Amino acid sequence: MMRAVRLVFLGPPGAGKGTQAQILLERFGLRQIATGDILRANVARGTELGRKAKAYMDSGDLVPDDVIIGMMEAELTAGAESGAFVESFVLDGFPRTVRQAEALDALLARLHLPLTAVLLFDADRDALIERLTGRWTNPRTGRTYHVAFNPPNVVGIDDEDGGPLVQRPDDTRAVVVDRLSTYDTKTAPLVEYYTRLRMLKRIDGLQPIDAVTAAVLAALDGTDEAA
Ligand code: AP5
């Protein structure tokens, strides 16, 4: 994949958005901009943004639109102005409401950075719950593993930086169920939104990780050259 691509990864928690974004980063240097990772870093640093976001994240609800839109405008504008990722990026976990999608459209139009495609990952509920409750994460890089499906070489240790892996506080079964229902009510309407714009491509997220990557690359082969 040598050309510029600007993507949105859409889909319920656990569908594999972060896993595939990391693979595209490793293989093609495609920058991953993950709202969840940015928020968790702010919670860890105790910033004002982190303090605003924490209670929503802990309960499986969405952080308010105004907070997220402000955060992403700052992120994308700074990146565009510095030339850091004008060419290619993956938005992982944003937008998550129709209001966020409208704000993103307006922002990207202003920056002359049109989206290439929106990839919708999906898997059934039982699989999503199993994936999230078995996930281990490197809190420093956002890299994820799974106890059964994608285990690290040494239990509890990141293959890359050798540091400890942790379970996210919102990956308990109770919070996962709330996150899935938040997705259904607030984020699923984006499927229709992007279908209407003819941007949506569906990826079967139930397949093994390698097969999902192949499906992503096949979907991108079918997109027009980004401007
Ligand atoms: P965020 O961090 O974005 O969480 P999420 O959307 O719930 O997504 P996940 O990271 O849980 O799932 P994923 O699809 O990336 O799955 P992964 O690849 O890791 O958001 C957290 C919170 O922040 C939100 O609840 C909200 O409060 C807030 N927030 C974030 N963005 C926001 C926004 N825009 N607006 C408002 N609030 C926002 O895979 C999961 C597991 O499965 C891993 O263990 C992985 O190894 C395994 N796996 C992956 N693919 C496969 C496969 N094909 N087969 C088998 N196992 C697999």
Side-chain angles (χ1 to χ4, degrees):
M1 193 200 309
M2 301 304 290
R3 64 198 173 79
V5 282
R6 291 182 279 272
L7 307 173
V8 166
F9 278 8
L10 185 63
K17 306 178 297 290
T19 300
Q20 296 301 325
Q22 283 275 335
I23 292 170
L24 294 186
L25 171 72
E26 282 158 22
R27 289 209 198 157
F28 305 108
L30 212 59
R31 176 161 177 207
Q32 175 191 20
I33 304 173
T35 33
D37 290 347
I38 298 171
L39 291 168
R40 278 185 290 280
N42 276 277
V43 170
R45 290 204 309 275
T47 65
E48 197 196 334
L49 172 61
R51 280 197 296 278
K52 279 187 194 155
K54 187 173 185 318
Y56 296 100
M57 297 173 77
D58 286 348
S59 68
D61 200 355
L62 293 187
V63 176
D65 281 340
D66 289 337
V67 174
I68 295 291
I69 291 168
M71 176 182 104
M72 289 303 282
E73 282 198 352
E75 184 80 20
L76 288 167
T77 305
E81 281 170 359
S82 71
F85 55 84
V86 173
E87 283 298 302
S88 294
F89 55 80
V90 177
L91 298 179
D92 168 9
F94 175 82
R96 258 169 147 106
T97 64
V98 170
R99 215 182 122 216
Q100 290 181 20
E102 288 167 351
L104 177 65
D105 286 348
L107 176 63
L108 293 182
R110 210 164 72 222
L111 296 173
H112 305 291
L113 296 174
L115 283 178
T116 310
V118 175
L119 304 194
L120 171 66
F121 297 80
D122 211 353
D124 66 45
R125 294 290 130 138
D126 289 346
L128 296 173
I129 291 171
E130 189 184 6
R131 285 182 185 182
L132 292 174
T133 53
R135 172 166 63 182
W136 287 81
T137 305
N138 178 335
R140 298 163 300 284
T141 63
R143 188 186 176 91
T144 57
Y145 296 85
H146 189 279
V147 283
F149 307 132
N150 184 24
N153 294 327
V154 179
V155 175
I157 301 292
D158 184 63
D159 292 349
E160 282 195 331
D161 72 8
L165 300 173
V166 299
Q167 277 194 295
R168 269 171 46 178
D170 60 346
D171 276 349
T172 59
R173 176 174 283 267
V175 182
V176 165
V177 169
D178 287 344
R179 285 162 63 198
L180 290 170
S181 96
T182 299
Y183 176 83
D184 289 340
T185 52
K186 297 187 175 169
T187 307
L190 288 181
V191 173
E192 195 196 323
Y193 180 91
Y194 284 117
T195 302
R196 240 186 297 122
L197 293 177
R198 298 175 180 279
M199 302 221 70
L200 196 85
K201 291 173 180 286
R202 290 174 186 270
I203 306 285
D204 176 6
L206 250 190
Q207 309 168 85
I209 292 173
D210 288 354
V212 176
T213 304
V216 167
L217 297 180
L220 296 184
D221 271 348
T223 56
D224 295 331
E225 183 83 17

